[in-house]
Amino acid sequence: MVGGGQLARMTHEAGIPLGIRFKLLSDTPQDSAAQVVSEVVIGDYRDLDTLRAFARGCDVLTFDHEHVPTEHLRALEADGIPIRPGPEALVHAQDKGVMRAKLDAIGAPCPRHRIVSDPADVERFAAEGDGFPVILKTVRGGYDGKGVWLVRSSKEAAEPFLAGVPVLAEEKVSFVRELAANVVRSPHGQAVAYPVVESIQVDGVCDTVIAPAPCLSPRLSAEAQQLALRVAEELDVIGHLAVELFEIRDADGEPAVLVNELAMRPHNSGHWTQDGAITSQFANHVRAVLDLPLGDPRPRATWTVMANVLGGDYPDMYAAYLHCMARDPQLKIHMYGKDVKPGRKVGHVNTYGDDLADVRERAAHAAGYLRGTITE
Amino acid sequence: MVGGGQLARMTHEAGIPLGIRFKLLSDTPQDSAAQVVSEVVIGDYRDLDTLRAFARGCDVLTFDHEHVPTEHLRALEADGIPIRPGPEALVHAQDKGVMRAKLDAIGAPCPRHRIVSDPADVERFAAEGDGFPVILKTVRGGYDGKGVWLVRSSKEAAEPFLAGVPVLAEEKVSFVRELAANVVRSPHGQAVAYPVVESIQVDGVCDTVIAPAPCLSPRLSAEAQQLALRVAEELDVIGHLAVELFEIRDADGEPAVLVNELAMRPHNSGHWTQDGAITSQFANHVRAVLDLPLGDPRPRATWTVMANVLGGDYPDMYAAYLHCMARDPQLKIHMYGKDVKPGRKVGHVNTYGDDLADVRERAAHAAGYLRGTITE
């Protein structure tokens, strides 16, 4: 796996019981995954020679993030290394312009969008629809709110163009809530769909995920799952695909979804599966990229809630950690081994049970206590 | 952790989400745990200098097996290294003579037993009770049926004395079935008890574990849990304690238990907890030895069944592995990364659900198919 972040850490964890030999390409020995994996190569994923040397002896290459240059992936594939997901799939998660064009081509519902050339073009884009505000995104390089701007006039639209990367304009969707439809697909073409979840963002960062999404109509749930399965098939995705969705009301006032983002790797919206599903997203990602039969994606509990643990003002979480474990012996804590910095994702917690209010309270309490925003 | 077997492998797996830095002392780099742990020291656990060098910088030392010499543990403890479980506790799991003496002293029910000096003394031991057969055990060094003899006459009783290790004689208990009461205890004195399980042995090796033990009377279940908690406290055990029990009928025909063996580490009879309990034995062992608050030991499913996967005649399990995953997407496979040798434990499977017959069939099928004894 290329990339030493928490997704690689948790993928290794899921691969241990499957008997998988896991080799990691990591930026530094201190990276989240590098702390727990036996076979670690330290190197730069942007360097083709490093990637080539790393890939030697691997049965398959997969990714913790989407930042490996597409041309390097094509070169590795030409060398005969199975890349999963492959470069022709992964480019849709790397380049938002390519993604939107493909989703349009397969008829997947998207926010109104087009590539814009300068602030004056942003003005025209706004005028073509309901006006400002407009969302601008650099087509490459953004995540967790980075590389995304909400602009209220063409005067505010200069910054996104400074990087010299094409800029995608999108209508600001008036959504009811955010959902995610997560699926896993193998080279055989076998695919599984997890229950559709609700994802609650705070300041552009995922804060809480509720599985399954409460009060979601069975029709829309099935539509969202089928949409994600269709995207996986049409884009030839191998491994875990997260389809981030906006739930909206259509012209008739009926619930509908629009595709917000795609991620082709284990995803924050699937962390609940570690403790809430029969097979976790990490285990199924490993099974998919190795073309093993996939595991059952169904939930094990009525409700599972994931809350991200962000760093707070106190670098030492130990006392809070003890408190949370003692307060809730059912709490499932997942720490990433990262130094605590304010706002940095350093872990997450999962809770599950039959009473959604209780399950949410327990997750929120633990995440808030670990961050230091709740002191009781 | 000292010892690179599958228990260390699965303890590391359980420590990853807890954010634990795991350091391993392993015999070889090929050992089960050494394949998946980042920080591995290769060395001989029987050598005090090796142990001392390994222990430097560890917050606490714990064990994958019970073979570290007691005097080395005392020396490390004198150096100021926290040893959990400590040598004064661990000796009861290392020396069956010491164990029986202590269990007698605290009034824990045991099979009739005493140390015997030679075959003639075995004859006397038999005559003191119901005669032959008699079980002979070397007080140190035995496991999985090794170091244990069933003798039907004093003529058969020579071999156990050849090693020059004291020999313990025990009556052959006419038991209904074997149970295990597993508990975890922390330095704080906090303790949790898992549901009592039934353990089914084949050829002296654990084959299947059913959690909870079917048709176990609530009274005997509570008695067994309380007995295990009392043993943990009286022996000052820190970490996971497995109390292997015989279920018998007492003189009045009422169900009762006798203590068969003790193990002070994660134990085969607790592997079901990985998929069947809120907190696994491995996670709770880590939490206990680090004096973290313990996790909830309650079951997540009505029934969970663990079946050991033994090596068969075919060294390559890959095709069988694919078959088992495809046949049962709910199956939880735990492989140890070991070379397949006939009769060697190379993994286990867990299944769970509401229908015990179905859950047992699925576990037995997968274990048998992986071994090659079922080909369908």
Side-chain angles (χ1 to χ4, degrees), chain A residues 88 94 324 365:
Chain A
E88 304 318 317
Q94 296 177 313
C324 290
H365 182 94

Side-chain angles (χ1 to χ4, degrees), chain A residues 85-364:
Chain A
E88 304 318 317
L90 201 61
V91 68
H92 299 95
Q94 296 177 313
D95 187 308
K96 295 181 205 298
V98 174
M99 171 190 71
R100 286 295 178 216
K102 180 71 179 183
L103 291 176
D104 286 348
I106 67 171
C110 289
R112 190 175 71 84
H113 62 89
R114 69 171 170 82
I115 298 290
V116 286
S117 53
D118 55 36
D121 198 21
V122 176
E123 183 92 45
R124 285 190 292 276
F125 174 81
E128 287 156 19
D130 296 332
F132 285 98
V134 160
I135 308 283
L136 298 180
K137 301 176 176 178
T138 52
V139 296
R140 281 184 175 258
Y143 67 99
D144 272 357
K146 296 176 187 72
V148 178
W149 293 262
L150 174 72
V151 300
R152 293 172 195 286
S153 71
S154 59
K155 289 190 194 72
E156 293 177 20
E159 190 184 342
F161 295 94
L162 297 179
V165 176
V167 175
L168 180 74
E170 293 183 354
E171 66 173 321
K172 183 175 185 308
V173 175
S174 174
F175 58 83
V176 177
R177 58 177 170 175
E178 293 188 65
L179 303 173
N182 292 344
V183 298
V184 183
R185 183 170 174 273
S186 79
H188 258 73
Q190 190 190 12
V192 294
Y194 285 99
V196 176
V197 299
E198 177 172 350
S199 171
I200 299 166
Q201 317 280 316
V202 174
D203 299 332
V205 177
C206 176
D207 181 83
T208 303
V209 168
I210 305 172
C215 306
L216 185 64
S217 80
R219 175 190 59 78
L220 192 60
S221 170
E223 269 183 36
Q225 288 183 315
Q226 284 160 13
L227 172 63
L229 289 167
R230 194 154 63 84
V231 170
E233 186 181 0
E234 294 275 6
L235 277 59
D236 197 18
V237 178
I238 303 301
H240 189 267
L241 168 70
V243 181
E244 295 183 80
L245 299 164
F246 296 124
E247 181 178 342
I248 58 164
R249 296 295 173 259
D250 69 14
D252 301 323
E254 292 298 316
V257 290
L258 299 176
V259 177
N260 179 19
E261 302 275 1
L262 303 182
M264 292 182 198
R265 49 170 170 77
H267 188 255
N268 204 161
S269 64
H271 289 358
W272 70 275
T273 60
Q274 293 175 301
D275 301 297
I278 294 173
T279 313
S280 79
Q281 65 165 345
F282 299 102
N284 261 336
H285 184 76
V286 167
R287 289 163 78 144
V289 302
L290 290 167
D291 207 9
L292 298 167
L294 301 180
D296 194 325
R298 285 176 299 170
R300 285 197 72 175
T302 311
W303 298 106
T304 304
V305 171
M306 189 284 317
N308 277 321
V309 177
L310 303 186
D313 295 331
Y314 305 100
D316 185 357
M317 281 189 174
Y318 185 69
Y321 190 66
L322 292 184
H323 169 91
C324 290
M325 285 187 171
R327 181 182 193 263
D328 184 358
Q330 294 178 56
L331 182 71
K332 308 308 286 186
I333 300 180
H334 299 266
M335 301 303 290
Y336 306 155
K338 291 180 167 181
D339 289 338
V340 173
K341 292 178 190 168
R344 185 187 206 189
K345 280 185 201 169
V346 295
H348 67 272
V349 295
N350 286 331
T351 54
Y352 54 82
D354 293 328
D355 177 346
L356 179 56
D358 173 66
V359 173
R360 284 193 71 166
E361 189 282 331
R362 289 164 47 217

Side-chain angles (χ1 to χ4, degrees), chain B residues 207-208 305 307 349 351 359-369 373-374:
Chain B
D207 181 85
T208 303
V305 171
V349 294
T351 53
V359 173
R360 284 192 72 166
E361 189 280 332
R362 288 165 47 217
H365 182 94
Y369 203 96
T373 53
I374 299 173

Side-chain angles (χ1 to χ4, degrees), chain B residues 81-246:
Chain B
I81 311 290
I83 311 289
R84 294 172 182 164
E88 303 318 317
L90 201 61
V91 67
H92 298 96
Q94 296 177 313
D95 187 308
K96 296 182 204 299
V98 174
M99 171 191 69
R100 286 292 179 217
K102 180 70 178 184
L103 292 176
D104 286 349
I106 68 171
C110 290
R112 190 174 71 84
H113 63 89
R114 69 172 171 82
I115 299 291
V116 285
S117 54
D118 55 35
D121 198 20
V122 175
E123 183 92 44
R124 285 190 292 277
F125 174 81
E128 288 157 18
D130 296 332
F132 285 100
V134 159
I135 308 284
L136 297 180
K137 300 176 174 178
T138 52
V139 297
R140 282 184 175 258
Y143 67 99
D144 272 358
K146 296 176 188 72
V148 178
W149 293 262
L150 175 73
V151 301
R152 294 173 194 286
S153 71
S154 59
K155 289 191 195 72
E156 293 178 20
E159 192 184 342
F161 295 95
L162 297 179
V165 175
V167 174
L168 180 73
E170 293 184 353
E171 65 173 322
K172 183 174 186 308
V173 175
S174 173
F175 58 81
V176 177
R177 58 178 169 173
E178 293 189 67
L179 303 173
N182 291 344
V183 298
V184 183
R185 182 171 174 272
S186 78
H188 258 74
Q190 190 190 13
V192 294
Y194 285 99
V196 176
V197 299
E198 178 173 350
S199 171
I200 300 166
Q201 316 281 316
V202 174
D203 300 332
V205 176
C206 176
D207 181 85
T208 303
V209 170
I210 305 173
C215 306
L216 184 63
S217 80
R219 175 190 60 80
L220 192 61
S221 170
E223 268 183 36
Q225 288 183 315
Q226 284 159 14
L227 173 62
L229 289 168
R230 194 154 64 83
V231 169
E233 187 181 1
E234 294 275 5
L235 276 57
D236 197 19
V237 179
I238 304 301
H240 189 267
L241 168 70
V243 181
E244 295 184 80
L245 300 164
F246 295 124

